[in-house]
Amino acid sequence: KTMTRNPRSTVGTTTEIYDYLRLLFARVGHTYCVRCGRLVRKDSPRTVLESIAARAQDGQKFYILFPMHRHEKRSLDDEWDNLRSQGFSRIVMSGEERILDLSEENPKQLDPSQIRILVDRLVWRANDEALASRIADSIESAFNEGAGRAIIAYLEGDGPTQEEKFSEHFECATDGLPYEEPEPRLFSFNNPFGACPECQGFGRAMGIDPDLVI
């Protein structure tokens, strides 16, 4: 066919292989967290249930929790009252097995980042459809009340509980670091979408050098 060339032409753009490669990366590529190396994905009740089934042994005790979500213009006391009004009455501190009564605890004496609201406590049994349905419902509630985030805490004998975090958002559930979802324009060198915010993809940033000014 007739080809038009410009200074930005490459072998990939001229042969149009470049377009297929962008689709390939967007559709089958995986995003990994730059901090912990964990696979970044959007979780759902199904993926959480699959994770529990892969990790838990028969008889394994675990809690379904969600982190305390702070709202703007709400004090800790207001958050406490809101949780009680929604029917939540128990909390668990991160890494602990002991269940605390929400009505008996003073929120100002607790670290909000360590507070976990208890949705359900269960014992894992494989191939139990009724249990799987209950877990899915509890996880959905945790996602809804936890701003898209849920936590599974596994009880390990006398030791501290082992937490596994999940998120409905495209972010690292462990670190909370958000990422752009892979799509073709993210891999285009002609599109500013996804470019470095400092240099806009040009490799250098404009600034003022005091040594040149004075």
Side-chain angles (χ1 to χ4, degrees):
K1 66 179 184 179
T2 302
M3 292 185 296
T4 57
R5 302 186 62 173
N6 62 64
R8 288 194 173 194
S9 293
T10 67
V11 174
T13 58
T14 301
T15 61
E16 297 182 356
I17 292 175
Y18 168 66
D19 295 323
Y20 292 104
L21 288 175
R22 290 193 298 127
L23 282 172
L24 178 68
F25 278 104
R27 297 292 177 262
V28 304
H30 293 102
T31 302
Y32 291 88
C33 179
V34 297
R35 291 180 183 170
C36 67
R38 175 174 171 160
L39 177 66
V40 178
R41 66 176 184 180
K42 285 183 175 180
D43 286 305
S44 66
R46 180 181 61 80
T47 62
V48 178
L49 183 58
E50 290 173 352
S51 179
I52 296 173
R55 175 169 178 169
Q57 303 291 330
D58 276 348
Q60 171 80 63
K61 297 180 180 179
F62 62 95
Y63 298 150
I64 297 177
L65 316 160
F66 64 86
M68 185 173 180
H69 177 57
R70 297 295 303 274
H71 298 81
E72 290 186 19
K73 299 180 181 180
R74 274 190 190 175
S75 66
L76 277 173
D77 290 329
D78 292 336
E79 296 288 2
W80 227 237
D81 293 337
N82 181 55
L83 289 169
R84 278 198 292 261
S85 68
Q86 295 183 72
F88 296 106
S89 60
R90 294 168 294 180
I91 62 173
V92 177
M93 300 305 291
S94 178
E96 296 183 9
E97 179 181 344
R98 185 166 55 101
I99 297 175
L100 305 176
D101 192 322
L102 190 146
S103 62
E104 297 177 357
E105 297 298 324
N106 183 350
K108 296 178 181 178
Q109 296 179 350
L110 303 174
D111 182 354
S113 66
Q114 301 298 307
I115 298 175
R116 311 291 189 241
I117 314 303
L118 180 65
V119 178
D120 208 348
R121 48 182 174 172
L122 302 159
V123 177
W124 175 253
R125 294 186 301 275
N127 303 318
D128 188 330
E129 293 185 4
L131 177 64
S133 177
R134 177 176 171 179
I135 291 173
D137 290 341
S138 296
I139 293 169
E140 188 170 359
S141 296
F143 277 141
N144 290 337
E145 301 301 330
R149 297 174 179 86
I151 299 172
I152 304 298
Y154 298 93
L155 278 61
E156 305 289 348
D158 296 331
T161 58
Q162 301 296 315
E163 290 188 349
E164 188 172 6
K165 299 179 180 179
F166 301 89
S167 176
E168 286 185 316
H169 310 291
F170 197 73
E171 64 183 10
C172 176
T174 302
D175 298 319
L177 193 63
Y179 290 88
E180 295 285 355
E181 291 191 57
E183 53 181 289
R185 64 175 179 164
L186 185 64
F187 303 98
S188 171
F189 56 78
N190 284 323
N191 194 314
F193 180 77
C196 170
E198 294 295 328
C199 69
Q200 302 300 317
F202 291 102
R204 60 181 182 274
M206 297 296 291
I208 297 176
D209 186 347
D211 292 335
L212 296 178
V213 175
I214 302 174

